[in-house]
Amino acid sequence: MVIAKKKFGQNFLVDHNVINQIISEIKFDPSKTFLEIGPGKGALTRELIKKINPLTLIEIDADMINILKQINSKNLEIIQIDVLKLDEHFFNKFNIVIGNLPYYISSEIIFKLLPIKQITHMYFMFQREVADRLIAQIGTKDNSILTNLVNFYFDTEKLIDVNPNAFEPAPKVKSSFIKLTRHNKYNEFVYEQYKKIVKASFKFKRKNLKNNLKNILSEKDFDSLQLDPTSRAEDLSVEDFLKIVNYVFIDDKKNSY
Ligand code: SAM
């Protein structure tokens, strides 16, 4: 028996109802290319491979690789590597990415994959509080930097709440399975500037926009933008942040920052 390794964040899905629910939520399309990150012992892989042809797997742990090699399928490509070491050239071969990853690397992976246009859908298990931030509504405390950076590229949807006892060993936190769908609504070339404005706006959570953006926008600028300077970053939408980006960087009304 293979013991779960803490250093690789191993909590294996063992609840078959949850596994079946996850599989039933994934949209399978034979014209798309699929990648699973962190397949572990193959709880999802064994079901995915019945519907996907071919399927590429990335797994860091040699013990897991040995187990995955026992899956009887010619359609599996198994790669032993640390996913964090891979760059865009690897990922842009895929359209759909699925993963029940260690929670401490899931945000990093998401940020890495956001700008890769070929990826149209991502399905990931997240720690519940991260999931809540991904799907947060405007004006709620969960509306955050993560919410606005991810929503620049993707629509987000919570598919399933998953309790700790669905995993072996059970993690300390609750989880949710989230679907991200690329929407192509905004001009990707302003993303770096957008990121700067979002990060500055959320710099001090308790401070209002006027304070957080004091080096960027004057009272008069807030008037021109028709934004309330006493509101907080969590009250703004992606479009509001983009309005600031356009005003500061593109319309040339401002040239500082
Ligand atoms: N997907 C499996 C499941 O649902 O049962 C395993 C989930 S477990 C939470 C996370 C998996 O990601 C483990 O198999 C672990 O070895 C793998 N992993 C951890 N860090 C990784 C990394 N940097 N690159 C690739 N795989 C990694």
Side-chain angles (χ1 to χ4, degrees):
M1 200 182 94
V2 178
I3 309 272
K5 298 184 185 78
K6 258 198 180 151
K7 68 170 175 175
F8 292 142
Q10 291 176 347
N11 301 92
F12 301 109
L13 261 176
V14 290
D15 183 326
H16 284 278
N17 285 330
V18 172
I19 294 169
N20 291 338
Q21 260 180 294
I22 287 174
I23 299 296
S24 71
E25 292 287 358
I26 296 173
K27 205 166 158 265
F28 295 100
D29 176 344
S31 68
K32 305 257 180 174
T33 44
F34 285 75
L35 170 71
E36 186 188 355
I37 306 175
K41 297 184 200 174
L44 294 172
T45 321
R46 284 167 217 274
E47 299 305 318
L48 290 171
I49 196 65
K50 293 177 189 164
K51 311 210 175 217
I52 300 169
N53 173 14
L55 171 64
T56 301
L57 309 176
I58 303 172
E59 170 58 60
I60 198 169
D61 183 359
D63 287 336
M64 297 301 127
I65 297 285
N66 287 333
I67 296 172
L68 292 165
K69 281 185 178 159
Q70 290 163 21
I71 300 177
N72 190 11
S73 171
K74 289 195 291 290
N75 299 323
L76 272 184
E77 182 189 18
I78 307 174
I79 304 171
Q80 185 187 354
I81 195 159
D82 177 349
V83 66
L84 298 174
K85 298 211 169 113
L86 293 165
D87 65 13
E88 192 199 348
H89 299 291
F90 176 82
F91 292 110
N92 67 18
K93 296 195 287 283
F94 299 99
N95 307 126
I96 301 187
V97 183
I98 300 161
N100 171 19
L101 298 166
Y103 294 134
Y104 54 83
I105 62 169
S106 49
S107 297
E108 187 173 343
I109 296 292
I110 290 285
F111 284 128
K112 199 169 194 167
L113 302 186
L114 284 179
I116 301 177
K117 274 192 259 169
Q118 288 80 355
I119 298 174
T120 59
H121 294 83
M122 300 197 263
Y123 297 87
F124 282 116
M125 189 78 80
F126 288 101
Q127 182 175 336
R128 183 83 47 91
E129 65 184 43
V130 176
D132 287 344
R133 281 194 273 136
L134 283 169
I135 59 161
Q137 299 295 311
I138 296 153
T140 64
K141 70 167 177 32
D142 284 328
N143 189 16
S144 58
I145 295 176
L146 179 71
T147 320
N148 288 283
L149 297 189
V150 171
N151 278 274
F152 180 88
Y153 287 105
F154 284 86
D155 289 325
T156 56
E157 183 188 351
K158 187 197 273 192
L159 297 177
I160 312 164
D161 279 332
V162 185
N163 286 326
N165 58 10
F167 302 89
E168 176 60 51
K172 290 199 177 74
V173 292
K174 292 178 179 168
S175 312
S176 297
F177 193 66
I178 300 287
K179 177 182 182 181
L180 300 105
T181 307
R182 187 177 296 280
H183 54 53
N184 295 316
K185 277 189 218 154
Y186 309 120
N187 175 1
E188 61 183 309
F189 295 110
V190 302
Y191 181 67
E192 287 307 315
Q193 293 150 336
Y194 172 85
K195 196 156 83 174
K196 273 186 192 160
I197 293 293
V198 169
K199 286 190 170 172
S201 303
F202 280 99
K203 188 161 184 202
F204 299 105
K205 263 222 121 200
R206 286 166 184 279
K207 291 199 172 174
N208 61 25
L209 282 179
K210 187 176 71 182
N211 283 317
N212 278 337
L213 298 180
K214 66 174 184 283
N215 297 328
I216 304 170
L217 298 176
S218 67
E219 288 267 359
K220 200 170 132 276
D221 294 328
F222 276 101
D223 281 347
S224 308
L225 283 160
Q226 294 182 306
L227 285 175
D228 177 0
T230 65
S231 58
R232 297 221 167 110
E234 67 201 37
D235 300 317
L236 267 55
S237 64
V238 172
E239 280 85 2
D240 291 328
F241 288 117
L242 280 169
K243 208 155 78 167
I244 301 176
V245 171
N246 277 322
Y247 184 83
V248 173
F249 296 103
I250 297 164
D251 285 357
D252 213 20
K253 294 196 186 73
K254 298 275 301 176
N255 46 22
S256 56
Y257 191 58

